[in-house]
């Protein structure tokens, strides 16, 4: 996307050395990635070239991928540059209508994944969290308390209703709805910046049909919720940068995203603090409001953690520290 944005600014000089070089480099990396996946199933093996056949395959891949990337760049930049078309004006005439169209499209495309994998998937931590809520294990600090309460709580609700799978399915449906709402809002924010009919089309197609996204969405786990809150927080910060201040909606969404980001990851509060600093830095108007909302959210998280640790009698001896790079890497999936 950075390369596309660069090409967009240089639309009149599209075929130049820098863009041509970036296409070749990207194609080489993509070709090597394909060969690694083709030849190996072990991530510890890094050398993709083992024979002259592999060299031939790599050359063919580079040629093909260079042509493909060139076409994508040309189409993307040519279409997105037409910002004042009548179609775009018609599309953006009603922003709320566009939002709900995006939301409905995402739910529609994600639903087959949910149906085929009913009641949904789960990360390995989910089993421990359910056991803790059901009383089979001691409640510990190994996983975020909020995620443990949600995972085990919905499982318990399903159990009370006669079928635990119903509780899991209900959790997944709510997660699908909130994820679709956040992603639709992020697309709307991009539309305000670029004012192109192709932004919502390309983004919703990406979120709808690239399998890693719906599979991520229909899985119970802290990573999905944490990732969605990062998207929401980044969207709010982008809006602050564009408007110079927090708009009415983001006055609610921004602190909520900071709070939930911190509560869905034990190490999430460090990233939340960084986001608060950035939001204050990019706000050219009413900077104090951004600071108050951000700092207030952090203070709320700290108070919640202190109170909940005592109220739920959490065993602090079992405390698995989390590396912040892990959730950031997992964020790359979405």
């Amino acid at each position: 996307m950075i390369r596309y944005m660069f090409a967009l600014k240089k639309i009149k000089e599209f075929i130049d050395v820098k863009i041509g070089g970036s296409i070749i480099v990207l194609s080489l990396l993509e070709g090597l990635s394909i060969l690694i996946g083709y030849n190996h199933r072990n991530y510890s093996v890094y050398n993709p070239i083992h024979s002259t056949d592999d060299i031939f395959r790599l050359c063919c891949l580079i040629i093909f991928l260079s042509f493909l990337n060139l076409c994508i760049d040309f189409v993307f930049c040519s279409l997105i540059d037409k910002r004042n078309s009548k179609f775009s004006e018609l599309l953006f005439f009603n922003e709320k209508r566009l939002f709900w169209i995006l939301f409905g499209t995402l739910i529609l495309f994600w639903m087959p994944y949910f149906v085929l994998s009913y009641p949904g998937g789960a990360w390995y931590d989910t089993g421990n969290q359910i056991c803790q809520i059901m009383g089979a294990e001691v409640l510990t600090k190994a996983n975020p308390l909020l995620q443990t309460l949600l995972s085990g709580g919905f499982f318990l609700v399903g159990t009370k209703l006669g079928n635990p799978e119903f509780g899991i399915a209900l959790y997944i449906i709510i997660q699908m709805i909130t994820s679709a709402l956040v992603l639709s809002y992020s697309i709307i924010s991009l539309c305000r910046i670029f004012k192109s009919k192709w932004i919502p089309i390309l983004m919703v197609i990406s979120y709808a049909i690239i399998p890693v996204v719906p599979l991520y969405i229909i899985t119970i786990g802290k990573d999905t919720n944490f990732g969605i809150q990062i998207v929401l927080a980044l969207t709010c910060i982008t809006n602050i940068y564009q408007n110079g201040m927090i708009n009415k909606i983001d006055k609610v969404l921004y602190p909520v995203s900071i709070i939930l980001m911190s509560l869905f990851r034990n190490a999430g509060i460090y990233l939340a603090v960084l986001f608060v600093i950035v939001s204050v830095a990019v706000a050219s108007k009413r900077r104090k409001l951004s600071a108050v909302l951000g700092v207030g959210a952090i203070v709320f998280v700290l108070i919640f953690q202190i109170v909940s640790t005592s109220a739920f009698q959490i065993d602090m001896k079992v405390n698995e520290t989390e590396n912040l790079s892990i959730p950031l890497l997992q964020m790359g999936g979405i």
Side-chain angles (χ1 to χ4, degrees):
M1 289 303 297
I2 292 175
R3 193 163 54 85
Y4 293 157
M5 292 301 101
F6 176 76
L8 176 61
K9 292 181 179 179
K10 301 271 187 176
I11 189 69
K12 295 181 180 179
E13 307 169 3
F14 181 74
I15 306 299
D16 64 5
V17 176
K18 291 184 179 180
I19 296 180
S22 67
I23 289 176
I24 294 176
V25 171
L26 179 64
S27 302
L28 174 61
L29 295 175
E30 290 173 344
L32 289 172
S33 301
I34 292 173
L35 274 184
I36 292 173
Y38 176 78
N39 287 332
H40 307 290
R41 295 183 180 180
N42 187 349
Y43 288 119
S44 64
V45 180
Y46 294 102
N47 181 17
I49 306 298
H50 289 282
S51 66
T52 54
D53 289 341
D54 288 333
I55 296 176
F56 176 74
R57 291 193 188 101
L58 180 60
C59 292
C60 292
L61 282 170
I62 291 174
I63 294 173
F64 170 74
L65 292 170
S66 297
F67 176 75
L68 178 62
N69 285 314
L70 181 64
C71 291
I72 291 174
D73 280 5
F74 181 75
V75 172
F76 181 88
C77 296
S78 298
L79 293 177
I80 200 174
D81 193 55
K82 298 176 181 178
R83 304 181 182 185
N84 299 317
S85 65
K86 293 182 179 180
F87 186 84
S88 295
E89 294 176 2
L90 178 64
L91 182 64
F92 291 95
F93 179 74
N94 192 324
E95 195 173 85
K96 291 183 179 179
R97 182 184 301 172
L98 176 61
F99 173 84
W100 290 114
I101 290 174
L102 294 172
F103 170 79
T105 302
L106 290 176
I107 294 295
L108 180 65
F109 275 85
W110 291 346
M111 193 56 67
Y113 288 89
F114 171 68
V115 173
L116 292 173
S117 64
Y118 181 89
W123 296 101
Y124 58 89
D125 289 332
T126 305
N128 296 331
Q129 293 170 328
I130 291 175
C131 288
Q132 291 174 15
I133 296 298
M134 300 296 288
E137 293 183 8
V138 178
L139 192 62
T140 70
K141 196 68 173 166
N143 290 293
L145 176 62
L146 180 59
Q147 183 61 47
T148 300
L149 293 175
L150 287 175
S151 301
F154 276 93
F155 185 89
L156 187 60
V157 169
T159 302
K160 295 293 184 181
L161 295 176
N163 187 353
E165 289 188 353
F166 175 77
I168 300 297
L170 182 61
Y171 176 101
I172 295 296
I173 290 173
I174 294 175
Q175 183 169 271
M176 287 173 59
I177 293 173
T178 55
S179 300
L181 289 172
V182 170
L183 294 179
S184 299
Y185 185 58
S186 68
I187 296 174
I188 291 293
S189 296
L190 287 177
C191 292
R192 292 170 183 162
I193 298 173
F194 295 104
K195 295 192 177 354
S196 169
K197 64 182 179 181
W198 293 102
I199 285 291
I201 294 174
L202 292 174
M203 294 298 293
V204 79
I205 288 176
S206 300
Y207 289 141
I209 68 174
I210 296 178
V212 68
V213 177
L215 290 176
Y216 205 70
I217 298 300
I218 63 166
T219 301
I220 293 183
K222 56 193 174 186
D223 304 312
T224 304
N225 292 319
F226 182 75
I228 288 298
Q229 297 311 315
I230 288 182
V231 173
L232 180 57
L234 288 175
T235 302
C236 294
I237 291 175
T238 301
N239 293 338
I240 294 173
Y241 176 73
Q242 289 295 320
N243 303 325
M245 57 184 291
I246 298 182
N247 57 37
K248 292 182 180 180
I249 297 178
D250 289 345
K251 285 180 182 178
V252 177
L253 296 181
Y254 171 63
V256 167
S257 65
I258 295 297
I259 291 171
L260 293 180
M261 183 193 309
S262 304
L263 295 181
F264 277 123
R265 269 284 176 181
N266 289 338
I269 191 168
Y270 301 113
L271 188 61
V273 170
L274 175 62
F275 277 15
V276 170
I277 295 173
V278 172
S279 67
V280 173
V282 300
S284 57
K285 305 174 185 177
R286 302 187 68 181
R287 186 168 292 173
K288 185 182 293 185
L289 178 60
S290 299
V292 169
L293 291 175
V295 173
I298 297 296
V299 171
F300 175 86
V301 170
L302 295 175
I303 294 175
F304 175 85
Q305 290 177 340
I306 295 172
V307 173
S308 62
T309 299
S310 175
F312 290 93
Q313 298 180 347
I314 298 175
D315 185 3
M316 299 300 293
K317 295 179 181 179
V318 183
N319 185 8
E320 300 177 7
T321 58
E322 292 182 290
N323 190 335
L324 192 57
S325 64
I326 295 176
L328 289 177
L329 276 174
Q330 291 167 334
M331 177 56 202
I334 197 166

